[in-house]
Amino acid sequence: MSFMQSPPSGKQPPRPLPDLSDMRHDDWVERWLPRSWGPYARLCRLDRPVGTWLTLLPCLAALVQAAEGWPTLWRLFIFSLGALLMRGIGCTLNDIFDRDLDHQVERTRFRPLTSGQITLRNALYFLFGQFAVCALLLFAINEYSRWMAVALVPIVIIYPLCKRFTYWPQIVLGIGFNWGMLMAWSDTQNHIPLAAVAMWVGAVLWQVGYDSIYAYVDVRDDLKVGVKSTAMRFAERGKLWISGFYVATFALWLYGGLALGHHAGYFVVLALIGAHFVWQMMVFDLARPDRNFMLFRSNMTAGVMLIVATLLGTLL
């Protein structure tokens, strides 16, 4: 039976799906922020930090590699703030483009723009404000990296539209969300070696893999509203496809470590990352959106392990 089809008549219906809405009204935003600020915090996903961490962690690993050890505190601050802002900009743009679709999707129906908590005009003002703060960060990086940052802007803008015409929006997402890895090298070393590009491509493919797991949470609603994702492209072969992306990620990170001359500690932790990928594929279940959401979040562990690997590979 297809995971996108209803069960045949006469068979027991599937258990009710849990509420996977990504807007919670009993969290720190509700308790601590002024009521007028809450919708803006939710619009840029301050209440959902997983995406920010998944953007930042590979970038921090690249900073370690580029610095051949500990990056400067200033550079850590600038790149961390950049990751937070660019993820917020991406989420704001996504909600602006999808404001007429999100109310039809179980997980996104309470988002501030689609539910009327924020007007389109105010969302646009907020978007331009985030861009303005990002523009200030350009003064803190070198000229090479400024041009890299400018090149990122169209990628961030294009991504929310991709699901309307391609089954592969996750590739554009991976390119944009991991762009900071390349900028870590351009700002630290003023050049981007082939090994750094390999690490970045590995992170892009890793994101295609884990975001495909996430896409299976929404696949029924996506079919209803007419948007595309890798989950719809992979269908019942999702485990095979995602496993392939994870294998490619492991191979590229292995090559990157070898080409950069990392010490043995890097490869020990990389083996643990590989084991984590294997565990994900053993647990992954097309018909269990709640479990798939948990697996998506577990990739923060892989990101932390990548940082540990680069520290061991450069410092020991």
mmCIF file with all atom_site columns, all heavy atoms in Angstrom, residues 98-122:
data_model
loop_
_atom_site.group_PDB
_atom_site.id
_atom_site.type_symbol
_atom_site.label_atom_id
_atom_site.label_alt_id
_atom_site.label_comp_id
_atom_site.label_asym_id
_atom_site.label_entity_id
_atom_site.label_seq_id
_atom_site.pdbx_PDB_ins_code
_atom_site.Cartn_x
_atom_site.Cartn_y
_atom_site.Cartn_z
_atom_site.occupancy
_atom_site.B_iso_or_equiv
_atom_site.pdbx_formal_charge
_atom_site.auth_seq_id
_atom_site.auth_comp_id
_atom_site.auth_asym_id
_atom_site.auth_atom_id
_atom_site.pdbx_PDB_model_num
ATOM 1   N N   . ASP A 1 98  ? 4.057  31.704 1.207  1.00 0.00 ? 98  ASP A N   1
ATOM 2   C CA  . ASP A 1 98  ? 3.133  30.590 1.455  1.00 0.00 ? 98  ASP A CA  1
ATOM 3   C C   . ASP A 1 98  ? 1.919  30.986 2.284  1.00 0.00 ? 98  ASP A C   1
ATOM 4   O O   . ASP A 1 98  ? 1.196  30.116 2.770  1.00 0.00 ? 98  ASP A O   1
ATOM 5   C CB  . ASP A 1 98  ? 3.871  29.457 2.183  1.00 0.00 ? 98  ASP A CB  1
ATOM 6   C CG  . ASP A 1 98  ? 4.844  28.719 1.290  1.00 0.00 ? 98  ASP A CG  1
ATOM 7   O OD1 . ASP A 1 98  ? 4.903  29.034 0.087  1.00 0.00 ? 98  ASP A OD1 1
ATOM 8   O OD2 . ASP A 1 98  ? 5.559  27.833 1.790  1.00 0.00 ? 98  ASP A OD2 1
ATOM 9   N N   . ARG A 1 99  ? 1.678  32.287 2.434  1.00 0.00 ? 99  ARG A N   1
ATOM 10  C CA  . ARG A 1 99  ? 0.617  32.714 3.347  1.00 0.00 ? 99  ARG A CA  1
ATOM 11  C C   . ARG A 1 99  ? -0.757 32.197 2.943  1.00 0.00 ? 99  ARG A C   1
ATOM 12  O O   . ARG A 1 99  ? -1.624 32.019 3.799  1.00 0.00 ? 99  ARG A O   1
ATOM 13  C CB  . ARG A 1 99  ? 0.590  34.246 3.437  1.00 0.00 ? 99  ARG A CB  1
ATOM 14  C CG  . ARG A 1 99  ? 0.274  34.958 2.138  1.00 0.00 ? 99  ARG A CG  1
ATOM 15  C CD  . ARG A 1 99  ? 0.508  36.465 2.261  1.00 0.00 ? 99  ARG A CD  1
ATOM 16  N NE  . ARG A 1 99  ? 0.125  37.193 1.053  1.00 0.00 ? 99  ARG A NE  1
ATOM 17  C CZ  . ARG A 1 99  ? 0.883  37.310 -0.021 1.00 0.00 ? 99  ARG A CZ  1
ATOM 18  N NH1 . ARG A 1 99  ? 2.078  36.721 -0.049 1.00 0.00 ? 99  ARG A NH1 1
ATOM 19  N NH2 . ARG A 1 99  ? 0.459  38.000 -1.071 1.00 0.00 ? 99  ARG A NH2 1
ATOM 20  N N   . ASP A 1 100 ? -0.972 31.910 1.654  1.00 0.00 ? 100 ASP A N   1
ATOM 21  C CA  . ASP A 1 100 ? -2.269 31.395 1.212  1.00 0.00 ? 100 ASP A CA  1
ATOM 22  C C   . ASP A 1 100 ? -2.312 29.868 1.203  1.00 0.00 ? 100 ASP A C   1
ATOM 23  O O   . ASP A 1 100 ? -3.351 29.285 0.886  1.00 0.00 ? 100 ASP A O   1
ATOM 24  C CB  . ASP A 1 100 ? -2.590 31.924 -0.190 1.00 0.00 ? 100 ASP A CB  1
ATOM 25  C CG  . ASP A 1 100 ? -2.776 33.431 -0.212 1.00 0.00 ? 100 ASP A CG  1
ATOM 26  O OD1 . ASP A 1 100 ? -3.258 33.984 0.794  1.00 0.00 ? 100 ASP A OD1 1
ATOM 27  O OD2 . ASP A 1 100 ? -2.425 34.069 -1.226 1.00 0.00 ? 100 ASP A OD2 1
ATOM 28  N N   . LEU A 1 101 ? -1.192 29.225 1.534  1.00 0.00 ? 101 LEU A N   1
ATOM 29  C CA  . LEU A 1 101 ? -1.124 27.760 1.564  1.00 0.00 ? 101 LEU A CA  1
ATOM 30  C C   . LEU A 1 101 ? -1.033 27.220 2.985  1.00 0.00 ? 101 LEU A C   1
ATOM 31  O O   . LEU A 1 101 ? -1.559 26.142 3.274  1.00 0.00 ? 101 LEU A O   1
ATOM 32  C CB  . LEU A 1 101 ? 0.091  27.266 0.760  1.00 0.00 ? 101 LEU A CB  1
ATOM 33  C CG  . LEU A 1 101 ? 0.153  27.625 -0.721 1.00 0.00 ? 101 LEU A CG  1
ATOM 34  C CD1 . LEU A 1 101 ? 1.468  27.109 -1.325 1.00 0.00 ? 101 LEU A CD1 1
ATOM 35  C CD2 . LEU A 1 101 ? -1.027 27.043 -1.477 1.00 0.00 ? 101 LEU A CD2 1
ATOM 36  N N   . ASP A 1 102 ? -0.356 27.958 3.862  1.00 0.00 ? 102 ASP A N   1
ATOM 37  C CA  . ASP A 1 102 ? -0.036 27.419 5.183  1.00 0.00 ? 102 ASP A CA  1
ATOM 38  C C   . ASP A 1 102 ? -1.263 27.056 6.006  1.00 0.00 ? 102 ASP A C   1
ATOM 39  O O   . ASP A 1 102 ? -1.219 26.118 6.814  1.00 0.00 ? 102 ASP A O   1
ATOM 40  C CB  . ASP A 1 102 ? 0.834  28.408 5.968  1.00 0.00 ? 102 ASP A CB  1
ATOM 41  C CG  . ASP A 1 102 ? 2.297  28.355 5.556  1.00 0.00 ? 102 ASP A CG  1
ATOM 42  O OD1 . ASP A 1 102 ? 2.702  27.369 4.920  1.00 0.00 ? 102 ASP A OD1 1
ATOM 43  O OD2 . ASP A 1 102 ? 3.039  29.315 5.873  1.00 0.00 ? 102 ASP A OD2 1
ATOM 44  N N   . HIS A 1 103 ? -2.365 27.778 5.822  1.00 0.00 ? 103 HIS A N   1
ATOM 45  C CA  . HIS A 1 103 ? -3.551 27.471 6.630  1.00 0.00 ? 103 HIS A CA  1
ATOM 46  C C   . HIS A 1 103 ? -4.175 26.129 6.231  1.00 0.00 ? 103 HIS A C   1
ATOM 47  O O   . HIS A 1 103 ? -5.003 25.592 6.962  1.00 0.00 ? 103 HIS A O   1
ATOM 48  C CB  . HIS A 1 103 ? -4.585 28.592 6.518  1.00 0.00 ? 103 HIS A CB  1
ATOM 49  C CG  . HIS A 1 103 ? -5.233 28.695 5.178  1.00 0.00 ? 103 HIS A CG  1
ATOM 50  N ND1 . HIS A 1 103 ? -4.658 29.377 4.124  1.00 0.00 ? 103 HIS A ND1 1
ATOM 51  C CD2 . HIS A 1 103 ? -6.408 28.203 4.701  1.00 0.00 ? 103 HIS A CD2 1
ATOM 52  C CE1 . HIS A 1 103 ? -5.449 29.302 3.074  1.00 0.00 ? 103 HIS A CE1 1
ATOM 53  N NE2 . HIS A 1 103 ? -6.515 28.592 3.384  1.00 0.00 ? 103 HIS A NE2 1
ATOM 54  N N   . GLN A 1 104 ? -3.764 25.564 5.093  1.00 0.00 ? 104 GLN A N   1
ATOM 55  C CA  . GLN A 1 104 ? -4.293 24.270 4.649  1.00 0.00 ? 104 GLN A CA  1
ATOM 56  C C   . GLN A 1 104 ? -3.424 23.095 5.100  1.00 0.00 ? 104 GLN A C   1
ATOM 57  O O   . GLN A 1 104 ? -3.773 21.948 4.857  1.00 0.00 ? 104 GLN A O   1
ATOM 58  C CB  . GLN A 1 104 ? -4.368 24.242 3.116  1.00 0.00 ? 104 GLN A CB  1
ATOM 59  C CG  . GLN A 1 104 ? -5.196 25.367 2.511  1.00 0.00 ? 104 GLN A CG  1
ATOM 60  C CD  . GLN A 1 104 ? -5.185 25.322 0.999  1.00 0.00 ? 104 GLN A CD  1
ATOM 61  O OE1 . GLN A 1 104 ? -5.551 24.311 0.390  1.00 0.00 ? 104 GLN A OE1 1
ATOM 62  N NE2 . GLN A 1 104 ? -4.751 26.412 0.369  1.00 0.00 ? 104 GLN A NE2 1
ATOM 63  N N   . VAL A 1 105 ? -2.299 23.397 5.741  1.00 0.00 ? 105 VAL A N   1
ATOM 64  C CA  . VAL A 1 105 ? -1.349 22.359 6.141  1.00 0.00 ? 105 VAL A CA  1
ATOM 65  C C   . VAL A 1 105 ? -1.393 22.205 7.656  1.00 0.00 ? 105 VAL A C   1
ATOM 66  O O   . VAL A 1 105 ? -1.319 23.186 8.398  1.00 0.00 ? 105 VAL A O   1
ATOM 67  C CB  . VAL A 1 105 ? 0.079  22.724 5.688  1.00 0.00 ? 105 VAL A CB  1
ATOM 68  C CG1 . VAL A 1 105 ? 1.084  21.679 6.166  1.00 0.00 ? 105 VAL A CG1 1
ATOM 69  C CG2 . VAL A 1 105 ? 0.120  22.850 4.159  1.00 0.00 ? 105 VAL A CG2 1
ATOM 70  N N   . GLU A 1 106 ? -1.523 20.964 8.100  1.00 0.00 ? 106 GLU A N   1
ATOM 71  C CA  . GLU A 1 106 ? -1.669 20.673 9.523  1.00 0.00 ? 106 GLU A CA  1
ATOM 72  C C   . GLU A 1 106 ? -0.574 21.319 10.366 1.00 0.00 ? 106 GLU A C   1
ATOM 73  O O   . GLU A 1 106 ? -0.843 21.961 11.373 1.00 0.00 ? 106 GLU A O   1
ATOM 74  C CB  . GLU A 1 106 ? -1.647 19.150 9.723  1.00 0.00 ? 106 GLU A CB  1
ATOM 75  C CG  . GLU A 1 106 ? -1.747 18.669 11.161 1.00 0.00 ? 106 GLU A CG  1
ATOM 76  C CD  . GLU A 1 106 ? -3.148 18.814 11.740 1.00 0.00 ? 106 GLU A CD  1
ATOM 77  O OE1 . GLU A 1 106 ? -4.096 19.015 10.967 1.00 0.00 ? 106 GLU A OE1 1
ATOM 78  O OE2 . GLU A 1 106 ? -3.269 18.740 12.974 1.00 0.00 ? 106 GLU A OE2 1
ATOM 79  N N   . ARG A 1 107 ? 0.671  21.169 9.942  1.00 0.00 ? 107 ARG A N   1
ATOM 80  C CA  . ARG A 1 107 ? 1.798  21.624 10.754 1.00 0.00 ? 107 ARG A CA  1
ATOM 81  C C   . ARG A 1 107 ? 1.934  23.136 10.771 1.00 0.00 ? 107 ARG A C   1
ATOM 82  O O   . ARG A 1 107 ? 2.463  23.711 11.730 1.00 0.00 ? 107 ARG A O   1
ATOM 83  C CB  . ARG A 1 107 ? 3.095  20.981 10.244 1.00 0.00 ? 107 ARG A CB  1
ATOM 84  C CG  . ARG A 1 107 ? 4.334  21.276 11.066 1.00 0.00 ? 107 ARG A CG  1
ATOM 85  C CD  . ARG A 1 107 ? 5.527  20.523 10.530 1.00 0.00 ? 107 ARG A CD  1
ATOM 86  N NE  . ARG A 1 107 ? 5.763  20.825 9.129  1.00 0.00 ? 107 ARG A NE  1
ATOM 87  C CZ  . ARG A 1 107 ? 6.422  21.899 8.691  1.00 0.00 ? 107 ARG A CZ  1
ATOM 88  N NH1 . ARG A 1 107 ? 6.899  22.775 9.546  1.00 0.00 ? 107 ARG A NH1 1
ATOM 89  N NH2 . ARG A 1 107 ? 6.602  22.087 7.395  1.00 0.00 ? 107 ARG A NH2 1
ATOM 90  N N   . THR A 1 108 ? 1.470  23.835 9.727  1.00 0.00 ? 108 THR A N   1
ATOM 91  C CA  . THR A 1 108 ? 1.751  25.270 9.588  1.00 0.00 ? 108 THR A CA  1
ATOM 92  C C   . THR A 1 108 ? 0.527  26.157 9.746  1.00 0.00 ? 108 THR A C   1
ATOM 93  O O   . THR A 1 108 ? 0.616  27.366 9.541  1.00 0.00 ? 108 THR A O   1
ATOM 94  C CB  . THR A 1 108 ? 2.380  25.544 8.206  1.00 0.00 ? 108 THR A CB  1
ATOM 95  O OG1 . THR A 1 108 ? 1.441  25.189 7.176  1.00 0.00 ? 108 THR A OG1 1
ATOM 96  C CG2 . THR A 1 108 ? 3.654  24.743 8.011  1.00 0.00 ? 108 THR A CG2 1
ATOM 97  N N   . ARG A 1 109 ? -0.612 25.598 10.127 1.00 0.00 ? 109 ARG A N   1
ATOM 98  C CA  . ARG A 1 109 ? -1.867 26.347 10.077 1.00 0.00 ? 109 ARG A CA  1
ATOM 99  C C   . ARG A 1 109 ? -1.926 27.491 11.081 1.00 0.00 ? 109 ARG A C   1
ATOM 100 O O   . ARG A 1 109 ? -2.751 28.400 10.928 1.00 0.00 ? 109 ARG A O   1
ATOM 101 C CB  . ARG A 1 109 ? -3.044 25.388 10.302 1.00 0.00 ? 109 ARG A CB  1
ATOM 102 C CG  . ARG A 1 109 ? -3.110 24.760 11.684 1.00 0.00 ? 109 ARG A CG  1
ATOM 103 C CD  . ARG A 1 109 ? -4.041 23.556 11.702 1.00 0.00 ? 109 ARG A CD  1
ATOM 104 N NE  . ARG A 1 109 ? -4.280 23.014 13.029 1.00 0.00 ? 109 ARG A NE  1
ATOM 105 C CZ  . ARG A 1 109 ? -3.450 22.187 13.658 1.00 0.00 ? 109 ARG A CZ  1
ATOM 106 N NH1 . ARG A 1 109 ? -2.296 21.848 13.089 1.00 0.00 ? 109 ARG A NH1 1
ATOM 107 N NH2 . ARG A 1 109 ? -3.743 21.719 14.859 1.00 0.00 ? 109 ARG A NH2 1
ATOM 108 N N   . PHE A 1 110 ? -1.079 27.466 12.130 1.00 0.00 ? 110 PHE A N   1
ATOM 109 C CA  . PHE A 1 110 ? -1.116 28.522 13.141 1.00 0.00 ? 110 PHE A CA  1
ATOM 110 C C   . PHE A 1 110 ? -0.008 29.562 12.958 1.00 0.00 ? 110 PHE A C   1
ATOM 111 O O   . PHE A 1 110 ? 0.177  30.408 13.831 1.00 0.00 ? 110 PHE A O   1
ATOM 112 C CB  . PHE A 1 110 ? -1.000 27.918 14.547 1.00 0.00 ? 110 PHE A CB  1
ATOM 113 C CG  . PHE A 1 110 ? -2.174 27.048 14.924 1.00 0.00 ? 110 PHE A CG  1
ATOM 114 C CD1 . PHE A 1 110 ? -1.972 25.787 15.457 1.00 0.00 ? 110 PHE A CD1 1
ATOM 115 C CD2 . PHE A 1 110 ? -3.467 27.498 14.751 1.00 0.00 ? 110 PHE A CD2 1
ATOM 116 C CE1 . PHE A 1 110 ? -3.036 24.986 15.807 1.00 0.00 ? 110 PHE A CE1 1
ATOM 117 C CE2 . PHE A 1 110 ? -4.549 26.705 15.106 1.00 0.00 ? 110 PHE A CE2 1
ATOM 118 C CZ  . PHE A 1 110 ? -4.330 25.435 15.634 1.00 0.00 ? 110 PHE A CZ  1
ATOM 119 N N   . ARG A 1 111 ? 0.731  29.518 11.874 1.00 0.00 ? 111 ARG A N   1
ATOM 120 C CA  . ARG A 1 111 ? 1.803  30.490 11.679 1.00 0.00 ? 111 ARG A CA  1
ATOM 121 C C   . ARG A 1 111 ? 1.221  31.912 11.622 1.00 0.00 ? 111 ARG A C   1
ATOM 122 O O   . ARG A 1 111 ? 0.098  32.111 11.146 1.00 0.00 ? 111 ARG A O   1
ATOM 123 C CB  . ARG A 1 111 ? 2.596  30.170 10.418 1.00 0.00 ? 111 ARG A CB  1
ATOM 124 C CG  . ARG A 1 111 ? 3.503  28.964 10.616 1.00 0.00 ? 111 ARG A CG  1
ATOM 125 C CD  . ARG A 1 111 ? 4.324  28.636 9.388  1.00 0.00 ? 111 ARG A CD  1
ATOM 126 N NE  . ARG A 1 111 ? 5.258  27.538 9.655  1.00 0.00 ? 111 ARG A NE  1
ATOM 127 C CZ  . ARG A 1 111 ? 6.028  26.971 8.756  1.00 0.00 ? 111 ARG A CZ  1
ATOM 128 N NH1 . ARG A 1 111 ? 6.002  27.402 7.491  1.00 0.00 ? 111 ARG A NH1 1
ATOM 129 N NH2 . ARG A 1 111 ? 6.851  25.987 9.078  1.00 0.00 ? 111 ARG A NH2 1
ATOM 130 N N   . PRO A 1 112 ? 1.972  32.897 12.110 1.00 0.00 ? 112 PRO A N   1
ATOM 131 C CA  . PRO A 1 112 ? 1.391  34.238 12.332 1.00 0.00 ? 112 PRO A CA  1
ATOM 132 C C   . PRO A 1 112 ? 0.793  34.897 11.106 1.00 0.00 ? 112 PRO A C   1
ATOM 133 O O   . PRO A 1 112 ? -0.251 35.542 11.208 1.00 0.00 ? 112 PRO A O   1
ATOM 134 C CB  . PRO A 1 112 ? 2.592  35.044 12.848 1.00 0.00 ? 112 PRO A CB  1
ATOM 135 C CG  . PRO A 1 112 ? 3.522  34.032 13.428 1.00 0.00 ? 112 PRO A CG  1
ATOM 136 C CD  . PRO A 1 112 ? 3.363  32.793 12.600 1.00 0.00 ? 112 PRO A CD  1
ATOM 137 N N   . LEU A 1 113 ? 1.430  34.754 9.951  1.00 0.00 ? 113 LEU A N   1
ATOM 138 C CA  . LEU A 1 113 ? 0.941  35.462 8.771  1.00 0.00 ? 113 LEU A CA  1
ATOM 139 C C   . LEU A 1 113 ? -0.324 34.817 8.220  1.00 0.00 ? 113 LEU A C   1
ATOM 140 O O   . LEU A 1 113 ? -1.305 35.501 7.913  1.00 0.00 ? 113 LEU A O   1
ATOM 141 C CB  . LEU A 1 113 ? 2.031  35.498 7.701  1.00 0.00 ? 113 LEU A CB  1
ATOM 142 C CG  . LEU A 1 113 ? 1.856  36.487 6.553  1.00 0.00 ? 113 LEU A CG  1
ATOM 143 C CD1 . LEU A 1 113 ? 1.581  37.890 7.059  1.00 0.00 ? 113 LEU A CD1 1
ATOM 144 C CD2 . LEU A 1 113 ? 3.096  36.481 5.666  1.00 0.00 ? 113 LEU A CD2 1
ATOM 145 N N   . THR A 1 114 ? -0.327 33.489 8.114  1.00 0.00 ? 114 THR A N   1
ATOM 146 C CA  . THR A 1 114 ? -1.495 32.807 7.548  1.00 0.00 ? 114 THR A CA  1
ATOM 147 C C   . THR A 1 114 ? -2.697 32.845 8.497  1.00 0.00 ? 114 THR A C   1
ATOM 148 O O   . THR A 1 114 ? -3.842 32.786 8.053  1.00 0.00 ? 114 THR A O   1
ATOM 149 C CB  . THR A 1 114 ? -1.145 31.362 7.178  1.00 0.00 ? 114 THR A CB  1
ATOM 150 O OG1 . THR A 1 114 ? -2.151 30.834 6.311  1.00 0.00 ? 114 THR A OG1 1
ATOM 151 C CG2 . THR A 1 114 ? -1.038 30.476 8.407  1.00 0.00 ? 114 THR A CG2 1
ATOM 152 N N   . SER A 1 115 ? -2.427 32.961 9.818  1.00 0.00 ? 115 SER A N   1
ATOM 153 C CA  . SER A 1 115 ? -3.527 32.995 10.789 1.00 0.00 ? 115 SER A CA  1
ATOM 154 C C   . SER A 1 115 ? -3.991 34.411 11.103 1.00 0.00 ? 115 SER A C   1
ATOM 155 O O   . SER A 1 115 ? -4.887 34.596 11.927 1.00 0.00 ? 115 SER A O   1
ATOM 156 C CB  . SER A 1 115 ? -3.086 32.302 12.087 1.00 0.00 ? 115 SER A CB  1
ATOM 157 O OG  . SER A 1 115 ? -2.000 32.993 12.682 1.00 0.00 ? 115 SER A OG  1
ATOM 158 N N   . GLY A 1 116 ? -3.382 35.417 10.473 1.00 0.00 ? 116 GLY A N   1
ATOM 159 C CA  . GLY A 1 116 ? -3.836 36.787 10.633 1.00 0.00 ? 116 GLY A CA  1
ATOM 160 C C   . GLY A 1 116 ? -3.267 37.534 11.819 1.00 0.00 ? 116 GLY A C   1
ATOM 161 O O   . GLY A 1 116 ? -3.692 38.656 12.111 1.00 0.00 ? 116 GLY A O   1
ATOM 162 N N   . GLN A 1 117 ? -2.278 36.970 12.513 1.00 0.00 ? 117 GLN A N   1
ATOM 163 C CA  . GLN A 1 117 ? -1.678 37.668 13.649 1.00 0.00 ? 117 GLN A CA  1
ATOM 164 C C   . GLN A 1 117 ? -0.784 38.826 13.197 1.00 0.00 ? 117 GLN A C   1
ATOM 165 O O   . GLN A 1 117 ? -0.520 39.743 13.981 1.00 0.00 ? 117 GLN A O   1
ATOM 166 C CB  . GLN A 1 117 ? -0.856 36.688 14.486 1.00 0.00 ? 117 GLN A CB  1
ATOM 167 C CG  . GLN A 1 117 ? -1.653 35.540 15.073 1.00 0.00 ? 117 GLN A CG  1
ATOM 168 C CD  . GLN A 1 117 ? -0.745 34.515 15.727 1.00 0.00 ? 117 GLN A CD  1
ATOM 169 O OE1 . GLN A 1 117 ? 0.042  34.844 16.606 1.00 0.00 ? 117 GLN A OE1 1
ATOM 170 N NE2 . GLN A 1 117 ? -0.839 33.265 15.298 1.00 0.00 ? 117 GLN A NE2 1
ATOM 171 N N   . ILE A 1 118 ? -0.291 38.761 11.960 1.00 0.00 ? 118 ILE A N   1
ATOM 172 C CA  . ILE A 1 118 ? 0.550  39.811 11.376 1.00 0.00 ? 118 ILE A CA  1
ATOM 173 C C   . ILE A 1 118 ? 0.009  40.126 9.987  1.00 0.00 ? 118 ILE A C   1
ATOM 174 O O   . ILE A 1 118 ? -0.372 39.213 9.241  1.00 0.00 ? 118 ILE A O   1
ATOM 175 C CB  . ILE A 1 118 ? 2.023  39.353 11.266 1.00 0.00 ? 118 ILE A CB  1
ATOM 176 C CG1 . ILE A 1 118 ? 2.622  39.101 12.643 1.00 0.00 ? 118 ILE A CG1 1
ATOM 177 C CG2 . ILE A 1 118 ? 2.866  40.394 10.542 1.00 0.00 ? 118 ILE A CG2 1
ATOM 178 C CD1 . ILE A 1 118 ? 4.053  38.615 12.592 1.00 0.00 ? 118 ILE A CD1 1
ATOM 179 N N   . THR A 1 119 ? -0.002 41.392 9.633  1.00 0.00 ? 119 THR A N   1
ATOM 180 C CA  . THR A 1 119 ? -0.396 41.767 8.274  1.00 0.00 ? 119 THR A CA  1
ATOM 181 C C   . THR A 1 119 ? 0.780  41.582 7.325  1.00 0.00 ? 119 THR A C   1
ATOM 182 O O   . THR A 1 119 ? 1.946  41.552 7.745  1.00 0.00 ? 119 THR A O   1
ATOM 183 C CB  . THR A 1 119 ? -0.853 43.232 8.222  1.00 0.00 ? 119 THR A CB  1
ATOM 184 O OG1 . THR A 1 119 ? 0.264  44.085 8.533  1.00 0.00 ? 119 THR A OG1 1
ATOM 185 C CG2 . THR A 1 119 ? -1.982 43.494 9.217  1.00 0.00 ? 119 THR A CG2 1
ATOM 186 N N   . LEU A 1 120 ? 0.476  41.480 6.044  1.00 0.00 ? 120 LEU A N   1
ATOM 187 C CA  . LEU A 1 120 ? 1.533  41.335 5.048  1.00 0.00 ? 120 LEU A CA  1
ATOM 188 C C   . LEU A 1 120 ? 2.458  42.545 5.074  1.00 0.00 ? 120 LEU A C   1
ATOM 189 O O   . LEU A 1 120 ? 3.683  42.407 4.959  1.00 0.00 ? 120 LEU A O   1
ATOM 190 C CB  . LEU A 1 120 ? 0.918  41.162 3.656  1.00 0.00 ? 120 LEU A CB  1
ATOM 191 C CG  . LEU A 1 120 ? 1.898  41.084 2.491  1.00 0.00 ? 120 LEU A CG  1
ATOM 192 C CD1 . LEU A 1 120 ? 2.865  39.916 2.661  1.00 0.00 ? 120 LEU A CD1 1
ATOM 193 C CD2 . LEU A 1 120 ? 1.152  40.973 1.167  1.00 0.00 ? 120 LEU A CD2 1
ATOM 194 N N   . ARG A 1 121 ? 1.905  43.736 5.227  1.00 0.00 ? 121 ARG A N   1
ATOM 195 C CA  . ARG A 1 121 ? 2.738  44.936 5.246  1.00 0.00 ? 121 ARG A CA  1
ATOM 196 C C   . ARG A 1 121 ? 3.740  44.884 6.395  1.00 0.00 ? 121 ARG A C   1
ATOM 197 O O   . ARG A 1 121 ? 4.932  45.168 6.223  1.00 0.00 ? 121 ARG A O   1
ATOM 198 C CB  . ARG A 1 121 ? 1.864  46.181 5.369  1.00 0.00 ? 121 ARG A CB  1
ATOM 199 C CG  . ARG A 1 121 ? 2.669  47.475 5.505  1.00 0.00 ? 121 ARG A CG  1
ATOM 200 C CD  . ARG A 1 121 ? 1.765  48.690 5.644  1.00 0.00 ? 121 ARG A CD  1
ATOM 201 N NE  . ARG A 1 121 ? 0.996  48.907 4.429  1.00 0.00 ? 121 ARG A NE  1
ATOM 202 C CZ  . ARG A 1 121 ? 0.144  49.922 4.263  1.00 0.00 ? 121 ARG A CZ  1
ATOM 203 N NH1 . ARG A 1 121 ? -0.054 50.778 5.263  1.00 0.00 ? 121 ARG A NH1 1
ATOM 204 N NH2 . ARG A 1 121 ? -0.509 50.059 3.137  1.00 0.00 ? 121 ARG A NH2 1
ATOM 205 N N   . ASN A 1 122 ? 3.284  44.514 7.584  1.00 0.00 ? 122 ASN A N   1
ATOM 206 C CA  . ASN A 1 122 ? 4.187  44.454 8.729  1.00 0.00 ? 122 ASN A CA  1
ATOM 207 C C   . ASN A 1 122 ? 5.226  43.343 8.575  1.00 0.00 ? 122 ASN A C   1
ATOM 208 O O   . ASN A 1 122 ? 6.364  43.490 9.033  1.00 0.00 ? 122 ASN A O   1
ATOM 209 C CB  . ASN A 1 122 ? 3.392  44.257 10.014 1.00 0.00 ? 122 ASN A CB  1
ATOM 210 C CG  . ASN A 1 122 ? 2.663  45.521 10.440 1.00 0.00 ? 122 ASN A CG  1
ATOM 211 O OD1 . ASN A 1 122 ? 2.976  46.607 9.958  1.00 0.00 ? 122 ASN A OD1 1
ATOM 212 N ND2 . ASN A 1 122 ? 1.690  45.385 11.326 1.00 0.00 ? 122 ASN A ND2 1
#
